[in-house]
Amino acid sequence: MKSRITELLEIKYPVIQGGMAWVAEHHLAAAVSEAGGLGIIGAASAPAEVVREEIRKARELTEKPIGVNIMLMNPNAPEVVKVVIEEGVKVVTTGAGNPARYMKDFKAAGIKVIPVVASVAMAKLMERAGADAVVAEGMESGGHIGSETTMCLVPQVVNAVNIPVIAAGGIGDGRGVAAAFLLGAEAVQMGTRFIVAKESIVHPNYKEKVIKAKDIDSEITGTSTGHPVRQIRNQMTREYLRLEKEGAGLEELEYLTLGSLRKAVIEGDTVNGTLMAGQIAGLVSKEQSCLEIIEELMQEAEAVMKRGYEAWAK
Ligand code: TUI
């Protein structure tokens, strides 16, 4: 499966790993890149020097290209941008904001910039600002999300821009990959399935929650604050949603979630932790290596494309 994205990023398979906060560290990123996809280090809210260390550690594990995701709500984002440029990173994805102010510096450093967008308007803006591609991310995704579904967003973004589009949100197997290509995408970005990868450092309790999750087990918190976040339902989300219903203020809500993602990923606290995951968690059923995940994904995608074509042509 060749596309403008595999050419642009010089990768074997059109699969990009999501820049998941706490989860997307150097072991996972290196394993995804080694398997032929594009591994991503998620800078999230980490201090810039921690991001620098992560980049260097990933490079000890693989010579393949690795990207960095910059979470633009992080007040440290300008320092992270500096580190990414200094370390000679070749690909950056951005999330939760508009990266236009950094575009000139990225381009001058020869960095390929792939903003994650949740609307057609943002995709057009990013193309005009000089983005090399966009990730069109539907609200099926885990973590911070927009309001549109992948099924509706991807073809509309494909129609609106000339740069290649990467589909994200709700993709967890080869059928999802094939569907994304049929909608006009030229690669996929996956997060949830990589949470449970063998090389993922996520606590086994969290992985088990993802593996056991059913289709209806995620919840969106933070709608009232303008920062909707999809995660697996637990005591924390019940409490959060109750507070939101009662009209709690930002401070009280933020206090509840302070450090909660770390609690889930590192300590395995599935009661008070934030278990970010997409709706596709219901389809994720086992721990596999990144190589197994990506190769299975590609074989399935090819098989369903063939089957689909034969059924169509009958
Ligand atoms: O960024 C993500 N997913 C994330 S970031 C994150 S860290 C976090 N933790 C706790 C609370 C909030 C965040 C966890 N998951 N995905 C990419 C994404 N970007 N989804 C939606 C957007 C987006 C939204 C608005 C992109 C651009 C945008 O434009 C706003 C503007 O500035 O016009």
Side-chain angles (χ1 to χ4, degrees):
M1 265 172 142
K2 288 252 166 301
S3 71
R4 283 188 290 171
I5 293 293
T6 58
E7 301 284 317
L8 177 75
L9 303 178
E10 298 176 44
I11 52 179
K12 187 171 171 195
Y13 300 121
V15 178
I16 295 172
Q17 171 231 315
M20 302 165 281
W22 286 98
V23 176
E25 49 70 75
H26 65 276
H27 294 98
L28 183 64
V32 170
S33 287
E34 271 297 294
L38 183 74
I40 302 270
I41 289 167
S45 311
E49 287 312 309
V50 172
V51 178
R52 192 193 302 280
E53 282 308 305
E54 286 294 316
I55 296 166
R56 292 184 178 177
K57 285 180 191 159
R59 289 210 172 115
E60 284 171 18
L61 297 177
T62 182
E63 287 178 0
K64 302 246 168 72
I66 283 202
V68 174
N69 174 269
I70 303 179
M71 208 274 280
L72 296 165
M73 283 195 315
N74 176 11
N76 278 348
E79 285 92 83
V80 175
V81 168
K82 238 178 97 211
V83 161
V84 159
I85 292 170
E86 283 166 7
E87 293 298 312
V89 169
K90 295 281 183 287
V91 188
V92 161
T93 64
T94 65
N98 181 346
R101 84 194 70 159
Y102 306 114
M103 205 62 99
K104 215 172 102 228
D105 291 344
F106 283 141
K107 296 274 109 184
I111 296 176
K112 282 148 193 154
V113 186
I114 309 182
V116 177
V117 301
S119 69
V120 166
M122 195 67 183
K124 285 165 118 171
L125 200 63
M126 291 299 99
E127 178 176 52
R128 274 206 302 278
D132 296 279
V134 288
V135 176
E137 188 184 276
M139 55 81 82
E140 297 92 323
S141 299
H144 179 65
I145 51 173
S147 53
E148 310 310 303
T149 61
T150 302
M151 183 77 133
C152 297
L153 181 65
V154 171
Q156 294 185 72
V157 170
V158 167
N159 278 356
V161 298
N162 294 309
I163 51 177
V165 176
I166 299 161
I171 300 165
D173 68 6
R175 291 171 296 183
V177 175
F181 272 72
L182 292 180
L183 293 175
E186 297 186 53
V188 297
Q189 178 189 274
M190 280 199 329
T192 303
R193 183 134 180 218
F194 286 125
I195 294 176
V196 306
K198 281 208 174 100
E199 297 90 344
S200 145
I201 54 105
V202 170
H203 194 285
N205 294 353
Y206 190 157
K207 287 187 178 177
E208 190 188 347
K209 280 283 184 185
V210 172
I211 286 169
K212 290 209 168 135
K214 296 188 295 294
D215 54 348
I216 58 170
D217 284 346
S218 78
E219 202 91 79
I220 303 170
T221 60
T223 309
S224 68
T225 68
H227 297 300
V229 170
R230 185 183 298 284
Q231 53 195 290
I232 295 173
R233 186 181 303 107
N234 63 359
Q235 185 177 301
M236 216 279 283
T237 63
R238 287 196 183 94
E239 176 69 4
Y240 196 106
L241 291 172
R242 187 181 64 77
L243 285 172
E244 277 195 290
K245 217 169 170 182
E246 289 170 2
L250 189 61
E251 218 169 280
E252 195 179 353
L253 292 168
E254 276 187 345
Y255 184 73
L256 187 65
T257 52
L258 201 67
S260 63
L261 186 57
R262 185 189 179 281
K263 262 188 224 162
V265 175
I266 309 295
E267 294 165 22
D269 183 346
T270 60
V271 177
N272 304 300
T274 298
L275 302 163
M276 290 188 192
Q279 289 186 321
I280 205 67
L283 202 76
V284 173
S285 61
K286 57 179 184 288
E287 192 177 57
Q288 290 170 298
S289 71
C290 291
L291 185 65
E292 285 166 344
I293 291 172
I294 291 178
E295 293 201 327
E296 185 179 292
L297 210 63
M298 288 300 109
Q299 279 161 15
E300 274 173 8
E302 198 177 320
V304 297
M305 289 273 202
K306 272 202 189 116
R307 232 186 299 140
Y309 179 75
E310 281 157 17
W312 182 262
K314 249 191 228 159

